[in-house]
Each structure stands twice: as structure tokens, then as C-alpha cells.
Amino acid sequence: MLIESIRFSIKKAIQYRANLVSWFFADLSLYTATFLGYYLLTQKIDVFGDYNREEILFYITCFFLVNNLYAIFFAEAVSKFGQSVLTGYFDFDLLKPQPLIKYIVLKNLNFPAALSTPLLIFLNIWCMKICGIKLTIAYIISIFSASILMGLLFFIVYSFTLFGLRSEAISAIVLQLLTMAEKPDTVFPKILRNLLIYAIPIFLFSAIPARIALGKSNVYESIWGYSSPLLYYLVLKIILYQGLKKYQSTGGEI
């Protein structure tokens, strides 16, 4: 099913070539502008919290990778999920003989976002090199864990649509909070930093993978970084279970 989903995503992207090209250039512009902004800052500032100028560049490329993987696997899926609940097409998703989240994700893979992935991987590895650190399995797992967590977080947000709530406002707040993930976590007060790690997991999308690679994370941060997707998946399953009881289909209550 994964192979067929990838093929479908590629065919869909090729069919709408204007969307493919515009998505690529939009991503390229965003990532380039943000990276150059931090690069110019490093010419004037040597220390960002407890990160030096090379480490902060690596930090931001970690967030790029996490955000990019989220865009490939989850960005379109969570949006279509919310829309289908509002329009009634969610009824057809419920009829498919596949686990619901797996089916929605695989049906809505976003191939255009993958075009910028090779560049982001190269940039991340280059930053690792200038920081004098090596690529490790623990770091790779932390990147994938963070991207999965981001996807689960947005699935949870849009799951509230099943209760008859409009999730756009909550999603907009989460998107605003995500901009904080670009900032060095250690410049924030400790209580706020911990809040954005353990309660609202914003820094799990940037700081924790970076700190794991740099050898700066403590054992609690590392364990939370690896285990948080499981906890949020369980939360999502509970919300979906309760939400399906409230969901009003086009033909009546499920």
C-alpha cells in the first residue's frame, strides 16, 4: 500500500505541475531566507543561549528537517481530514478496511514537499560537519520521532472537528507556537522552556534532536523525545474513539 500511495502522490504532483513548482520554490525561499537570516546573525553574535554560532545553524536545520518530513507525510493529511469531517466525506474513510490514521496519511502523501528534502539533508550534514559531530542512529530516530509527533499533534487538533468544534482557530495558535521552535530554547526562562518541552512539545521539533546530536540533552529530555509520539498517539486514539461517538455523518449519527 505504501508503494501505491507514493506512486499516486507522484502522479498527482506531476498532473498539477504548477503546484509542484510553486511548492518547491516556496519551500526553497522559506528555508533559504531563514537560514541566511541566522547566518548573518552569527556574523555579529557568537553565543545564542548555550549554542555557539555553528551549533545554532545546525539547530535551525534540525527544525527544517522535522518540518519537511511533517509536510511530506502529514500536512496534507491533517488538512484533508478536517475538511472531510466538515463536508461528510469522512463517511467514506470510515468504510475503508484500513486503520483510519494510516489510511488518511497514505492517501494524502505530499510529494512536492519532498523536492526540497535532499537540499535540507545536505545542509544539515554540512552543519554537523562544521560543528564537529557525527551522524548517529539516535539523532536520526529523534528527527523521525519529532516529525511523527508534529503530525500527531495536528491530528489531535483537527480531531476536535468530530465534536462539532472548528479546529482552525486552535491550529492557527499551534502554528504561531511553532515559530518559537526556530528560536534557541536556552534563551527562554527555564520554566517556559520546560513548558515548551514537556507540556506543549514545541522544542521537541528542534531543540531536542539538536541537543541529542550535540550531546547536550539530559536523560529526561532524551527519553521524552523518543517516547512522546507513543503518548500522543494514545491521546489521539482516545479522542478519535470519543469523537466518533459524537460524529454526525451525512446519514445520521454513527
Side-chain angles (χ1 to χ4, degrees):
M1 185 175 177
L2 176 60
I3 300 300
E4 292 302 320
S5 298
I6 294 173
R7 288 175 179 172
F8 174 72
S9 175
I10 293 173
K11 288 180 180 179
K12 183 172 63 174
I14 294 174
Q15 182 179 1
Y16 302 102
R17 295 180 182 177
N19 179 60
L20 181 68
V21 174
S22 62
W23 191 295
F24 171 71
F25 280 107
D27 276 356
L28 185 65
S29 300
L30 175 63
Y31 293 131
T32 301
T34 304
F35 186 82
L36 286 178
Y38 270 91
Y39 179 78
L40 293 175
L41 279 175
T42 61
Q43 306 308 300
K44 300 292 184 180
I45 304 173
D46 294 327
V47 179
F48 300 77
D50 68 342
Y51 303 97
N52 61 35
R53 60 177 61 184
E54 291 82 14
E55 290 172 345
I56 198 61
L57 293 178
F58 171 67
Y59 182 107
I60 195 63
T61 62
C62 290
F63 180 64
F64 287 169
L65 274 181
V66 171
N67 187 66
N68 180 248
L69 290 173
Y70 162 79
I72 295 171
F73 292 101
F74 298 104
E76 190 169 342
V78 295
S79 176
K80 289 294 180 65
F81 169 56
Q83 291 174 14
S84 67
V85 172
L86 292 174
T87 59
Y89 285 103
F90 186 60
D91 296 358
F92 299 102
D93 293 339
L94 293 174
L95 295 174
K96 300 299 180 182
Q98 292 285 339
L100 181 61
I101 299 302
K102 175 185 175 183
Y103 171 74
I104 293 173
V105 169
L106 292 181
K107 187 179 71 171
N108 296 288
L109 294 179
N110 186 12
F111 178 74
L115 294 180
S116 57
T117 305
L119 172 63
L120 298 179
I121 292 174
F122 169 80
L123 195 61
N124 187 250
I125 292 176
W126 177 74
C127 287
M128 293 185 77
K129 184 177 180 180
I130 65 175
C131 288
I133 55 180
K134 295 182 178 180
L135 184 66
T136 64
I137 297 297
Y139 170 65
I140 294 173
I141 294 175
S142 71
I143 289 291
F144 279 99
S145 294
S147 62
I148 292 171
L149 176 62
M150 188 183 290
L152 292 172
L153 180 62
F154 277 99
F155 261 116
I156 289 172
V157 169
Y158 279 94
S159 293
F160 288 109
T161 310
L162 293 169
F163 296 88
L165 302 175
R166 294 283 180 168
S167 300
E168 291 84 354
I170 304 174
S171 177
I173 294 172
V174 175
L175 287 172
Q176 288 298 316
L177 287 172
L178 280 179
T179 62
M180 297 183 68
E182 299 178 6
K183 313 298 190 296
D185 59 301
T186 51
V187 303
F188 292 93
K190 186 175 180 180
I191 187 171
L192 179 58
R193 179 180 180 272
N194 288 337
L195 178 68
L196 294 176
I197 291 177
Y198 298 105
I200 309 171
I202 300 302
F203 284 135
L204 265 67
F205 308 140
S206 55
I208 301 307
R211 295 183 74 81
I212 287 173
L214 293 167
K216 293 187 175 185
S217 65
N218 60 48
V219 63
Y220 302 108
E221 292 173 350
S222 298
I223 292 174
W224 178 233
Y226 295 130
S227 63
S228 54
L230 177 59
L231 176 61
Y232 275 75
Y233 177 72
L234 294 175
V235 171
L236 175 59
K237 293 289 285 185
I238 293 171
I239 292 175
L240 285 176
Y241 177 77
Q242 296 297 328
L244 288 175
K245 295 180 178 180
K246 302 290 185 181
Y247 171 63
Q248 296 291 325
S249 72
T250 54
E253 187 173 358
I254 292 181

